[in-house]
Amino acid sequence: MKVYSNDDVRSDALQDQRIAIIGYGSQGRAHAQNLRDSGFDVVTGVRKGGKGWTNARADKIETAEPTEAVKGADLIAILTPDMAQEAVWKETIAPHAKEGSALLFAHGFSIHYGRVQPRADMDVVLVAPKGPGDLVRREFIRGRGVPALFAVKQDATETARARAMAYAKGIGGAAGGLIETTFAEETETDLFGEQAVLCGGAKELVKAGYQTLVDAGYQPEVAYFECMHELKLIVDLFYEGGISKMHDFISETAKYGAVASGPRIITEETRERMREVLRDIQSGNFARDWILENQAGKPRYTAMLNADRNHPIEKTGAALRERMAWLKSPTNA
Ligand code: NDP
Ligand code: MG
Ligand code: MG
């Protein structure tokens, strides 16, 4: 496996090409500004009066109605939410994109699950930064970058790979380290990571730990500190130096407890559940459920989200965080 750096990537493939960024949210805002500051010709396709439109104007990024932005573009990055991409493709891109233009995604969902079926004359590529948009922008401004994955699904022009790599470099992805993947691998691992570990697994672990302590009669505030608040310190150590760095920084007692009791929590049964979640992603069951849920107006999704929002740990945490002044701005940690 090769990790590409800035020196490995040429920008020629996108020289004198016009890049249309459709959607100006988390990723769109970062990509558009980084590409512009890398010297590329960028226009963002945004709905007039929307938040993206206002932000793009404030950032001095050229704006146009989505259809107009698509018409003149050599590369079209579709950076709207995944569930909006099928309609954006059918109504805005497919009828208006130039012959031989490239269609770029930041996540493979729409292509991998067949929601978007691109025209045969177009390149279809993926550039997926491994971080949220605000970090993609912040790191770029510091002269660094967030690592990114790239992939080619369809190469109609024989420049698909070069264009994807040039785009990735333009947003800072090669400074952070650029890795080639496939749409299938990016989509399935991204979904699995967020479901089993990062978002789904982590929040359930926190809630279960908190509930166990509170049910046993301990004070909710103390349970909050132990099961949620301090998680950041541990995750920061993972981030900086892996499991070994965590072991280097915690007490001997914590370390013994970690190695002795951790495997009693994540058991073979949990790992079987992880494989189940992965199978649902691979088979398309998860994608189908999520699409149907959207079509039904998201009743189950809304109910489950509300259950999380109304969990007792949220009330306990909000009151405690009020007193921690350094938490008020999310980027000053
Ligand atoms: P956001 O929800 O932040 O972006 C929303 C933007 O899309 C807004 O500008 C919105 O317009 C616009 N939009 C929504 N619906 C439409 C529509 N029907 N027509 C035109 N514009 C529309 O998206 P993200 O940046 O989170 O996600 C974009 C892609 O990037 C997804 O594929 C996602 O999986 C991927 N990704 C996201 C990451 C992240 O950290 N968020 C990380 C890596 C990949 P308006 O302002 O007018 O409402
Ligand atoms: Mg992800
Ligand atoms: Mg994701």
Side-chain angles (χ1 to χ4, degrees):
M1 197 269 306
K2 180 162 168 61
V3 181
Y4 298 91
S5 307
N6 276 332
D7 289 346
D8 303 317
V9 184
R10 298 169 61 107
S11 301
D12 325 16
L14 284 180
Q15 225 55 65
D16 304 318
Q17 298 211 346
R18 189 158 168 81
I19 299 173
I21 306 283
I22 310 302
Y24 203 78
S26 171
Q27 290 295 319
R29 189 173 193 176
H31 292 209
Q33 293 186 90
N34 291 3
L35 289 164
R36 181 217 29 216
D37 296 345
S38 294
F40 294 110
D41 179 17
V42 176
V43 60
T44 179
V46 278
R47 304 181 286 196
K48 225 178 203 136
K51 198 164 159 228
W53 189 83
T54 308
N55 286 339
R57 288 285 164 119
D59 298 339
K60 301 200 164 36
I61 292 283
E62 187 184 333
T63 54
E65 288 287 343
T67 305
E68 292 311 309
V70 165
K71 277 180 184 164
D74 301 286
L75 183 147
I76 301 144
I78 178 164
L79 300 179
T80 64
D82 297 304
M83 289 302 124
Q85 292 178 0
E86 185 182 6
V88 170
W89 161 253
K90 282 190 179 142
E91 289 153 27
T92 310
I93 304 177
H96 302 294
K98 277 206 302 208
E99 174 146 6
S101 54
L103 183 63
L104 181 143
F105 294 84
H107 176 45
F109 192 100
S110 296
I111 291 289
H112 186 57
Y113 295 115
R115 308 273 290 156
V116 168
Q117 292 179 357
R119 285 176 6 206
D121 65 285
M122 294 176 77
D123 290 348
V124 182
V125 299
L126 170 91
V127 173
K130 291 288 103 181
D134 68 315
L135 187 64
V136 171
R137 179 62 181 156
R138 261 190 288 135
E139 279 297 288
F140 181 90
I141 290 170
R142 291 178 182 146
R144 306 186 303 213
V146 170
L149 305 179
F150 78 100
V152 176
K153 178 75 183 181
Q154 184 169 295
D155 184 9
T157 67
E158 290 177 11
T159 61
R161 190 165 182 275
R163 287 204 276 190
M165 291 180 83
Y167 183 104
K169 180 183 182 178
I171 64 169
L178 188 57
I179 296 173
E180 188 157 14
T181 181
T182 60
F183 273 69
E185 183 177 70
E186 187 278 334
T187 307
E188 291 170 0
T189 56
D190 185 78
L191 293 174
F192 178 80
E194 65 201 19
Q195 292 176 26
V197 182
L198 307 174
C199 313
K203 80 167 171 73
E204 289 304 318
L205 187 65
V206 165
K207 284 196 302 188
Y210 172 88
Q211 205 63 56
T212 303
L213 287 178
V214 172
D215 288 350
Y218 297 98
Q219 297 181 74
E221 291 76 13
V222 175
Y224 172 82
F225 279 120
E226 294 310 326
C227 297
M228 185 181 263
H229 179 78
E230 290 194 36
L231 186 59
K232 173 169 168 39
L233 310 173
I234 300 305
V235 170
D236 283 350
L237 294 170
F238 285 171
Y239 196 59
E240 290 159 15
I243 292 169
S244 304
K245 182 154 183 183
M246 178 194 77
H247 282 322
D248 290 345
F249 275 74
I250 62 180
S251 71
E252 275 286 290
T253 305
K255 231 178 334 213
Y256 176 69
V259 293
S261 299
R264 295 169 63 194
I265 302 299
I266 304 299
T267 59
E268 182 49 34
E269 194 192 332
T270 314
R271 276 190 289 277
E272 179 46 33
R273 292 276 176 276
M274 285 190 172
R275 287 189 286 270
E276 233 174 77
V277 165
L278 181 59
R279 282 194 292 273
D280 281 339
I281 291 167
Q282 291 168 328
S283 66
N285 277 348
F286 169 77
R288 201 200 47 227
D289 284 354
W290 176 218
I291 292 160
L292 289 175
E293 183 64 23
N294 272 271
Q295 287 166 354
K298 304 185 196 169
R300 218 165 54 87
Y301 171 61
T302 309
M304 292 188 294
L305 263 189
N306 285 338
D308 265 0
R309 293 208 164 110
N310 296 327
H311 190 279
I313 197 173
E314 292 297 273
K315 216 167 158 193
T316 308
L320 291 172
R321 288 189 299 268
E322 269 300 302
R323 298 171 154 268
M324 295 186 263
W326 69 91
L327 299 180
K328 296 269 150 60
S329 157
T331 53
N332 65 357

